Structures are given as structure tokens and as C-alpha cells.
Amino acid sequence: MYKHIFFDLDHTLWDHHRNSKIALGEVFELFQLQEIGIPSMEQFYHKFNEVNHKLWLDYERSKISQAELRHIRFRQVFSQLGVNNHDSCDLVSDTYLDISPKKPHLLPYTKEILEYLSPKYPLHIITNGFNEIQDVKMNSGGIKHYFKHIITSQNSGHKKPDPEIFHYALEQVGAKPRECLMIGDTFYTDVLGAMQVGIDAVFFNPNDQRHVERPTYEIKHLSELKEIL
């Protein structure tokens, strides 16, 4: 039924939470952030996740640019933790962006399912991440060789859930919507984005997120893709 499979990367294959937490721990120690008033590594990590989630939503809705996201992210984290000295924020940001993508951890069953699918289908990535960082992540995780096309918001000029990024992906692989399947963890961007252009979608939902609309398929573990494909 399907001729091409599209995957999201962060939180779907590459374990963003685990890799980010390790990188933030290294940043916390390297810059001795407790000495400037950051209460603890755990608070730093949780506040980063909170701020980062909101800023990524703004980025996906084109309210802020990539440069703005990078510039304000740690400033907001510091401020919300009671630290108004932002002198080191740019260096903290650059260091985090250098360290984090190099972490190798993948979500459970990632390599197993890619090994299972790659002989059967051409596999591709559609991500709102940035070109150079996503490339490092896939190399660090040892999965880049599984994918024929890497579609990013930078090389397509559009961000999920904009229909244009999916149309661009279809043009790149030379396929019709009904011939493709999208797999991702974010209902709004991955699932609804794909389905609005006629691409069937798998909602990867390991944390039982609530949603109103019905995806084509829903799974909790990547291994469940064997029941679909």
C-alpha cells in the first residue's frame, strides 16, 4: 500500500529528552551555574524543557526565527530561575548546541524498526530542526544511512504543519500522498500536518497524550510498526 515512509526525528527516533538532559548536566558543571544562582541541575533541566517547548511552538508558528530562539532560550531560563546576569547566555547556548546533538541515545526499538523497514521501503526524514544539527544527531545515533532524503524546515523553506513542507517532500521523493506514511510524536505538526495533504499518519504516542481527532494509526512503541508495515 505504501511506497515511502517519512519519520520525524526528535522525540520519535532520537531521544531528545535523554540526550538534552546529559548535555545540560555538562553545561551546568562546565559553567558552574549553581555559583551564579541556578538552584540545581534538576530545576535547570525542567525549566529548560518548559521554556524550550514554548519557544519551539512559537518557532513552528513562525512567531520567532531560528536565531531568536537560540538567542532568547537560555536568557528566559536564567530569568525564570531568578538569575538576571545574562553575560554567559550566548556561550552557554553555543556550548549546549555543540554538545547535545553529539549524544547518541535513540528511543527504544529505533534501530530494530529501521533495520526491519529499510529493505522494504525508502525511508525519509521530515523535521523542523536545523540542517547542521539534525545531521549531527543522525550521525551520532548511527542512523543517517537508513534515510534517502532529509527534509528540514531550512531546505524546504517551510515548517510542519504547513502543507508546503509535505508537498516539497512529495516532490523530492516523487510520490503521491496516498503512497506515503508519516510517523511522528507531535499530533499537531506531524499527524494533522500530514493528514491535511492526504498522507496517512502514525501518531507515536508513548505517553498517552490526549487528542480529539483520530489519526490513521496510533502506537506506543516503535516496534508496533511491524503490525502496520
Side-chain angles (χ1 to χ4, degrees), residues 1 12 14 22-23 51 82 114 143 157 165 181 191 223:
M1 178 178 175
T12 300
W14 193 78
I22 295 169
V51 168
L114 295 178
I143 60 173
I165 191 171
L181 183 69
V191 176
S223 59

Side-chain angles (χ1 to χ4, degrees), residues 128-148:
N128 282 349
F130 312 127
N131 291 353
E132 69 280 9
I133 291 179
Q134 302 304 77
D135 192 65
V136 174
K137 287 177 180 177
M138 286 185 285
N139 281 322
S140 298
I143 60 173
K144 186 179 178 183
H145 64 283
Y146 290 109
F147 300 102
K148 306 292 185 185

Side-chain angles (χ1 to χ4, degrees), residues 127 131 151-159 164-166 168-169:
T127 172
N131 291 353
I151 311 298
T152 71
S153 53
Q154 279 183 291
N155 62 33
S156 69
H158 304 278
K159 296 185 283 290
E164 292 305 317
I165 191 171
F166 294 99
Y168 177 85

